[in-house]
Amino acid sequence: MAGAGQKDRALRERAAAVIPGGMFGHQATGMLPDDYPQFFSRAKGAHLWDADGNRLLDFMCAYGPNLMGYGHETIDAAYIAQMQVGDTLTGPTEKIVELAEALTAMVTHADWAIFCKNGTDATTMALVTARAHTRRKTVIRARGAYHGAAPWCVPRPAGTIDTDRAHQILCDYNDIASLEAAVAEAGDDLAAIFAAPFRHDAFIDQAAPDPAYARRCRELCDQTGALLVVDEVRAGLRLTTDCSWSLIGVQPDLSSWGKCLANGHPLSVLLGNDKSRKAASAIYVTGSFWYQAAPMAAALETLKIARETPYLAHLDALGTRLREGLEARASAAGFGLRCTGPVQMPLFLFDDDPDLRKGFCWSSQMLARGVYVHPWHNMFLCTAMTEADIDMALDAAEQSFAVLKREGPTLEPVAKMAFLVASGQR
Ligand code: PMP
């Protein structure tokens, strides 16, 4: 049986003494069911093992970075080979040029690349590039959309000050009227419109981008001279190898990428078009580890696999099998389960579950059966998953629905979620 075991509990106790709050950011399990493990020991392919040795089919994929499977042989071989000849050096290696060439060849709107480490580096660099390009201040972004943990965009404001978030206007994703109102409010000061490739906010149903909304973002940027930024950090390489909005015929000026770019090795990138090249040359952006060659070697290998294999079709087939199977099992058990978002990045939310207690109980039953799902954040599929893995998850789902039906949801998650409800995040 999976679930937080002895070793996990002991590590949590030690962590509580030396790590603020026991753990930080999204890796704190405070907002997951109590039996979810906090610590892991290893991973391979589609599976990870918690600190107590429980093997879990992992539908979080490290919150995205695992695209081609944990410990992928050729990607990791490329990483290790580069590590052995040179990684963090006084300057970059030829890998940086090769990778910039590969990305600009792959992504339609991109003419240049600046590499960094985290998604937040790339989104923040997009903000700075747009302000440098336009010499204006105001940025429009969608309410509830996550763009990282820097003071300008972090969802929890502790430690930030009002001016960190100054010159930003929030609109509603897919709502053209609210977008137009935000642009009107920005007047002649609009530097950028930020957009997620689709709505993938936590706690609420995901939504495909309305092509009319995407086109309006483009038009308004063209009319005002602002730059359009698509934040691909989470979705990049899972829907297409191009920028996701190319699927609906809209090209941004800038796109931020990270997570699975190097299949788990630390690398992110800001891509931009020629229009924004001068601004991108003028800004000062850097980091001690931003030129590391080994993650770039891993990214080159990841992109090669992406170019040369039908991995997208595989993800699509697995995701469709999962969605259809889950919907059928949920409705057979009498539950309304909303499976939203692209099938490769699904989110499952129960009907009539405002405090997520059904979701928490069902997820914890899944965990007990060796399947790691998330009750309120979108999940990710990886190419190492097989039809047999999906079928195993579906069996676990059927049993978990049965337990939920028989026993009803316990009260446990309510307290955890209460503060979110109270703070208006749900
Ligand atoms: N943008 C989006 C859409 C994200 O999902 C994330 C991370 N979840 C970020 C930006 C920030 O990336 P990172 O955590 O690597 O800084």
Side-chain angles (χ1 to χ4, degrees), residues 117-121 123 146-149 200 231 233-234 259 377:
K117 286 288 134 191
N118 283 288
T120 309
D121 300 333
T123 55
Y146 187 74
H147 295 298
H200 50 35
D231 180 2
V233 169
R234 198 180 310 178
K259 292 203 183 264
H377 190 287

Side-chain angles (χ1 to χ4, degrees), residues 160-331:
T160 64
I161 55 175
D162 292 350
T163 47
D164 289 330
R165 287 152 192 277
H167 311 294
Q168 292 191 42
I169 303 174
L170 300 182
C171 71
D172 293 319
Y173 194 82
N174 273 348
D175 182 335
I176 293 178
S178 95
L179 174 71
E180 287 174 343
V183 172
E185 189 184 334
D188 59 5
D189 191 45
L190 186 61
I193 298 176
F194 269 70
F198 58 93
R199 195 180 66 201
H200 50 35
D201 310 349
F203 305 115
I204 58 170
D205 290 340
Q206 302 193 87
D210 175 354
Y213 177 80
R215 282 195 296 272
R216 195 70 186 123
C217 286
R218 181 68 271 171
E219 279 165 14
L220 290 166
C221 283
D222 291 341
Q223 281 166 20
T224 58
L227 296 187
L228 177 58
V229 184
V230 171
D231 180 2
E232 288 283 1
V233 169
R234 198 180 310 178
L237 289 177
R238 270 202 170 73
L239 311 188
T240 165
T241 52
D242 203 339
C243 182
S244 296
W245 272 14
S246 66
L247 295 171
I248 50 171
V250 174
Q251 298 298 339
D253 300 298
L254 302 172
S255 58
S256 48
W257 302 64
K259 292 203 183 264
C260 64
L261 184 60
N263 203 50
H265 298 289
L267 188 68
S268 59
V269 68
L270 180 68
L271 300 178
N273 58 10
D274 274 332
K275 194 202 292 184
S276 55
R277 187 190 291 263
K278 200 167 157 219
S281 316
I283 60 175
Y284 185 74
V285 284
T286 190
S288 299
F289 303 108
W290 286 18
Y291 307 92
Q292 279 178 330
M296 293 183 188
L300 281 164
E301 191 59 30
T302 305
L303 297 185
K304 183 164 179 276
I305 295 167
R307 278 194 308 271
E308 294 176 1
T309 68
Y311 82 102
L312 287 170
H314 179 58
L315 288 180
D316 193 60
L318 291 178
T320 304
R321 190 180 185 90
L322 177 65
R323 174 159 305 178
E324 288 174 356
L326 209 51
E327 282 172 349
R329 283 159 180 78
S331 77

